[in-house]
DNA sequence: CTTGCACCTCTAGTCGCTAGAGGATGTAGG
DNA sequence: CCTACATCCTCTAGCGACTAGAGGTGCAAG
């Protein structure tokens, strides 16, 4: 009978208040019951769900993937093949991302090192950007593809 | 006097047609002259600028950073300290990102490996997400912070 | 002269939130 | 009981960097 306000839910789960409402809006979290004054009232299970979501987001899973993972969690007798597949796909994404970023790192290091700290016309930073042929490493085919988790 | 259409500019620079128009809209690229029929007509210098922009975007520089880099390029007698600083900041971002992703990789690997390929109630993927205490590595403080380049 | 592609503008959508306006509710102190 | 004040409510708009689509015009080849 303890009523958990959205603020408490936020503090307990680590998910910000507007984000909780957002998750409700997109159907990740069921709409909770309301108090007489129309305020959301959560239960412990909702907190767990929010922690689950937050954790998955921190791992870089997309909301759609989390939606699938949550339906799996809701029915524990299902095969976990989908969860497995989602995690594996995410792992492959992360590995690719790391490879790309390593290539970027090498190139940025060369740019920064090559900068004579003088005038722009001797600056390798600008030069490399202007002329792709100067690249330390080719990295064509890199395409912006979302997903952050800094 | 060769007139470069937006389609040719796209093919030569590797920047998509709508993206070129977008860059014009946000002022990264000057509005080119127009043909009688109101079609954009580019010059070789515009292609170079587009290549510069594309390359910088591939390296993960934000549009605002590129704006600065372009003004530096336009005046080659300036000090390149700003370009240097921008590249260094980007390098630090990339290094941080790599570290975070390595931590994610470790955790995802543990999840995937721990999956018994049975039912959900034995699945470590779901379990780890539900209970942060199961994490192989702590990665709190990770906050989504934009910037992709897959 | 017609077919068909490339071009034009404009608006709206993507993702995962975040910020702000403007108002209602809940709680603690006087 | 009244007043602050924090917290809650809904709603809309904005972020970055594009992308997609509607609805219309230009142009070159057959």
């Amino acid at each position: 009978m303890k009523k958990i306000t959205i603020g408490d839910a936020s503090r307990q789960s680590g998910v910000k208040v507007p984000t909780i409402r957002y998750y409700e809006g997109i159907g990740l979290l069921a709409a909770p019951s309301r108090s007489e004054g129309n305020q959301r009232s959560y239960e412990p299970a909702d907190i767990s769900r929010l922690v689950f979501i937050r954790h998955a987001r921190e791992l870089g899973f997309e909301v759609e993937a989390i939606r699938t993972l949550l339906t799996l969690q809701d029915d524990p007798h299902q095969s976990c093949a989908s969860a497995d597949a989602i995690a594996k796909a995410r792992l492959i994404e992360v590995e690719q991302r790391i490879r790309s970023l390593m290539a970027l790192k090498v190139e940025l290091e060369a740019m920064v090192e090559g900068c004579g700290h003088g005038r722009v016309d001797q600056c390798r930073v600008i030069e490399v950007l202007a002329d792709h042929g100067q690249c330390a490493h080719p990295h064509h085919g890199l395409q912006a593809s979302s997903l952050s988790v800094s």
Side-chain angles (χ1 to χ4, degrees), chain A:
Chain A
M1 277 301 139
K2 52 199 161 195
K3 37 189 164 183
I4 305 175
T5 66
I6 197 169
D8 289 336
S10 171
R11 275 178 290 276
Q12 285 173 44
S13 67
V15 179
K16 288 184 194 151
V17 168
T19 306
I20 295 176
R21 285 196 278 251
Y22 170 73
Y23 286 158
E24 182 184 325
I26 62 168
L28 263 200
L29 193 67
S33 57
R34 300 284 185 131
S35 75
E36 293 153 38
N38 197 34
Q39 303 201 188
R40 287 171 180 82
S41 178
Y42 293 95
E43 313 204 7
D46 296 317
I47 309 298
S48 308
R49 203 170 173 93
L50 281 169
V51 168
F52 185 102
I53 295 170
R54 196 206 45 167
H55 197 180
R57 288 292 303 137
E58 281 171 355
L59 287 169
F61 290 98
E62 295 177 8
V63 164
E64 280 316 298
I66 297 173
R67 208 186 287 279
T68 305
L69 291 170
L70 282 167
T71 64
L72 290 172
Q73 196 193 28
D74 290 344
D75 183 1
H77 296 291
Q78 273 183 267
S79 155
C80 72
S82 318
D84 197 29
I86 289 170
K88 271 185 181 142
R90 178 67 192 142
L91 180 56
I92 287 167
E93 268 173 43
V94 166
E95 283 168 345
Q96 274 175 353
R97 184 70 75 92
I98 289 171
R99 274 196 297 278
S100 297
L101 287 174
M102 299 283 241
L104 290 196
K105 181 164 131 67
V106 167
E107 191 156 352
L108 285 166
E109 275 166 348
M111 281 167 75
V112 168
E113 229 168 279
C115 172
H117 307 286
R119 283 178 294 117
V120 165
D121 50 5
Q122 294 145 4
C123 183
R124 230 185 94 82
V125 173
I126 300 282
E127 200 181 332
V128 169
L129 289 172
D131 180 4
H132 200 171
Q134 304 256 346
C135 276
H137 286 257
H139 55 92
H140 281 299
L142 291 188
Q143 273 296 320
S145 87
S146 70
L147 277 191
S148 34
V149 180
S150 83

